[in-house]
Each structure stands twice: as structure tokens, then as C-alpha cells.
Amino acid sequence: MSLSHLVVNNPYNGEKVGEVVAGGAAEIETAVACAHTGAELMAAMPAHQRSSILTHTAGQLRTEATELGYLIASESGKTWNEGIAEVKRAAGIFQLAAEEARRIHGETLPFDAFETGEGRTGYWLREPVGIVGAITPWNVPLALAAHKIAPAIAAGNAVVHKPAEQTPLNALKLQEIMLHVGLPMTALQVVTGLGEEAGDALVRHSDVPFVTFTGSRAVGMQLPARAGYKRVALELGGNSPVIITESANIKTASAAIVAGGYAVAGQLCISVQRVLVQRTMMKQLVDALVPLVEALVTGDPLEAKTNVGCLIDVAACDRIESLVHSTMRSGAALLYGGFRIGRTSFAPTLITDIPTDRGLAMDEAFGPIVALLPYDTLEQAVAIANATPYGLNAGIFTGQISQAEYAARNLNFGAVMINDVPSFRSDLMPYGGRKQSGIGREGVRFAIEEMTELKVICSKSISLN
Ligand code: ADP
């Protein structure tokens, strides 16, 4: 039987970059069957060997960063520089997982704390769940795959990976690297294909006890119902706010907003989307921001001078264009940008006076748009920040410790950055969202916790005769 194929196109110019098999339920079935063997091999593999495979993967990623960065840029439309940075970041995640693989442990249990436990000694430990199903998006394709595959392998699991249909080539390359450095073939299966076919079959498979998904809120929120009796971790969207108080350092804040608002053309879950500005600071902030946004070069992601790459496809660019137009029709004022450039690029856009109950203020834009919203009191700013269905990362720039502390305690988000934008993420921190931004936490150590199950071993003393 011949398999159908998916063409991978460069989102900037539409040129063909490659072609992969369009896998579906049958391929997932085969992959899961192989992964059973992989899971047995990995569970039996000592920690030092798992660690060594992960270290060598990190090393090989660093060696191939330039070429692999180019491949990521060609598939995803992010800039080549962003692609290279992503490969280095993925290498760091593998290195961290190599270190964590050596310290997955439990602790002893004081059973005699209760009368019924007298005469018993024992401990709890972590065992791998077996097969991890990993579903990843196109915006940070390699590093987010690393955030699922590296901890899964560190913990002694096998993985079935379904990469995004737009960016499957770097996933296949990662698999090649991992097999080359000694990972058993059955321990990492990559099934390329459409989300509603291969992805859905992976989610539903009864032999996959844990599925970890990063993607859209629309798809992610339906997964638990389709997954059946299994654990699911979800990293979904965001509408990240940053609060600028009167005591903020405007120069530092402006540079961070521009970096955090337009990286990967704003297609990150933790992109700066809303800047909540103390009303008296508005003019000063706008004066600082506009020249920085103006200086950004939007263009071919593969050219070294480009700062802002393109959107993932024509439909995404159409969506951003109509979002800007409808926001303008509601009375918003453009401060910069607001226009399309060619097929899939959109000028980095700065906008204000937006409606506060819908659109940019509430939903995830996933494009190069930053909105400035004025506020009067910090209590009001925090309330506005909290008023969306999302709760991933937030930030505040302030020179006052009491304001920082108030915001940190009252922002209903998975993480609060003080004197930085919400786009900051360290790969070792617990990362994940509240409300509709997701369920569970990544960040290697925390993912390992989700990818292992606890077992108690209890030994009862009995008399010698
Ligand atoms: P985006 O809008 O960022 O493309 P998606 O949620 O559509 O986000 O895609 C993220 C990942 O989820 C991709 O690998 C995609 O193939 C997969 N996916 C999409 N639909 C489904 C589905 N119904 N079941 C499982 N996976 C899916």
C-alpha cells in the first residue's frame, strides 16, 4: 500500500522544503507497538547510560546548530538567527535532562509514625510511565520537542512523537541524531502526519498512558475528553501582560517589550501582547518604543539582517490583517505598523485605544502586535491583567518593591517576571499555565515528575524462627 505524503513549504516564499509521509492511525499503531519494546529497553537502561545518550545528543545539536537552525527557519518562517538560538537552547535542555537523569530518586518512609506501621521499613521511588505520547507545535519546534523527549528519555520511557505538520523535518533530524548517539531504535518513534489523523490516534491510544501536548487552546481543551483514561499535560496559549509603573525604567522596559513582542513574529505563547501602562507614563513609553519598532527589519527569515520573520502561512497573515482592521474599526489608534508585507509577513505593529472587552485585550493574537492599555492604579492594572481566560506568564517593571510584591502575589499566572517581560523563560523553571493556558508543568525536572509514577516498597520485619 502506498502512503500519501505531506509537502513541507517555506512559509515565506511558498517554496518546497521537503516531503514527509502523512501517517495516520495505522502508523501510530505500528509506532506504539515498537515503543513497547523501547519502553522495556529504556526501563532497564541504567541512569548513567540514559544520561550519556542525552549528553551526546546535546553535543551533536551544538555541532549542527547552524545547519539545523537553517532547516528550522526554512520550515517555520522564524529567522535563521532565531533558529540557531533554538538549536542551542534545545542542546541546553538535553544537557539539563542528562543531569536530571542521574538524580531521579525517592526517599525512605517512616512507617512507624503510626502504630499500624510498626516493624516496617521502606521507601518510595519513581518508575517510568512506559510510553510518552508527545505532540508538538511549529513555532518552537525543536526546543518544545526537546522539552518532551529529553525528560521522557531521562526518566526511562519510550516516546512516540507527532511533530506539527508544518515543521516535521527537524523532528526527523533530532531522531536521527538520537539514534546515532546510541538511543535504541524503538525508544523514539516519530510519526509525521496531520493532527486530526496521527495526532488524534496517538491521543486516543489506550497503550499510551501519558500524552503531553503543546498547541492551540482550541485543540488542547478537547484532548482530555478524547484521551480517555490517561494523564494529559497541556501547554496552551496565552495573552501575556506586562505592567509598566511610574517608577519603571522605561529604556530597559522598551527594549524588553520589543524583544518579547516581536520575536518569532509574535507567534509565541509568552509573547508580550498587552502592555499596561500607568497613564502618566504613556507618552514617554510610546516615544521610547516607536523608534525601536521602526528599526526592526521584517523580511526573508533566511537573510542575516532580518529581525522579524514571517507568519506560518497565508491564512495566519490574513487572520492578523483582519484582526488589526477590526480593532481599528472599533476606534483603536495605530502607533506603528498595521500593514501586510507580501505573502505572509506583517509589519511589527504597535496599537492603542483598543476595546478592552474583546479581541486583542482578551484573545491570543499569535502575531506581531503589541497593544498599549492605560491604567490609573496598580490594583486596576492587575485586575486588567487577570481578566483574560489565560494565565501563563506575566511581568511588571517597577522600581518599588511593594509594587513588585503586590503584583507577584496577585497576578493569577504560572509565573511573574519582575523587571522583565513575560517572554522570559528558563528551561529549568516549572513552566505552565493557569486557567485555560494549560494543565501540568514542563521544565525538565517537573516534566520528569509527570512522566514517572510513584511506587512504594514496604518491608515488614518477621521473626527469624
Ligand atoms: P497551531 O494552531 O499552533 O497549529 P494546533 O493545536 O493546531 O496548533 O497544533 C499543535 C499540534 O497539535 C500539531 O502537532 C498538530 O498536528 C496537533 N493537532 C492538531 N489537531 C489535533 C488533534 N485533533 N488531535 C491531536 N493533535 C492535534
Side-chain angles (χ1 to χ4, degrees), residues 2-23:
S2 76
L3 289 162
S4 57
H5 287 76
L6 294 173
V7 175
V8 180
N9 291 317
N10 177 324
Y12 181 70
N13 53 26
E15 282 169 15
K16 180 173 167 179
V17 182
E19 201 170 299
V20 294
V21 167

Side-chain angles (χ1 to χ4, degrees), residues 135-136 138 162-165 195-196 199-200 203 213-216 219 226:
I135 300 178
T136 52
W138 48 262
K162 208 305 278 176
E165 43 272 46
E196 51 276 22
D200 184 62
V203 166
F213 170 92
T214 301
S216 62
V219 173
R226 288 194 279 115

Side-chain angles (χ1 to χ4, degrees), residues 401-419:
I401 195 158
S402 55
Q403 292 186 329
E405 204 240 353
Y406 176 86
R409 273 189 294 107
N410 290 288
L411 286 165
N412 191 14
F413 288 78
V416 177
M417 305 300 156
I418 296 168
N419 285 328

Side-chain angles (χ1 to χ4, degrees), residues 217 236-240 274 362-364 385-392 412-413 434-437:
R217 178 172 65 142
L236 309 179
N239 178 346
S240 295
R274 292 174 296 153
M362 286 293 151
D363 306 324
E364 181 174 43
N386 286 341
T388 76
Y390 296 104
L392 200 45
N412 191 14
F413 288 78
R434 296 187 178 183
K435 300 195 280 184
Q436 294 180 21
S437 283

Side-chain angles (χ1 to χ4, degrees), residues 47 98 114 145 171-172 184 226 256 280 288 340 356 369 374 382-383 415 434 458:
F114 289 99
L172 294 169
R226 288 194 279 115
T280 58
R340 190 176 188 135
T356 53
I369 312 177
V382 167
R434 296 187 178 183
C458 175

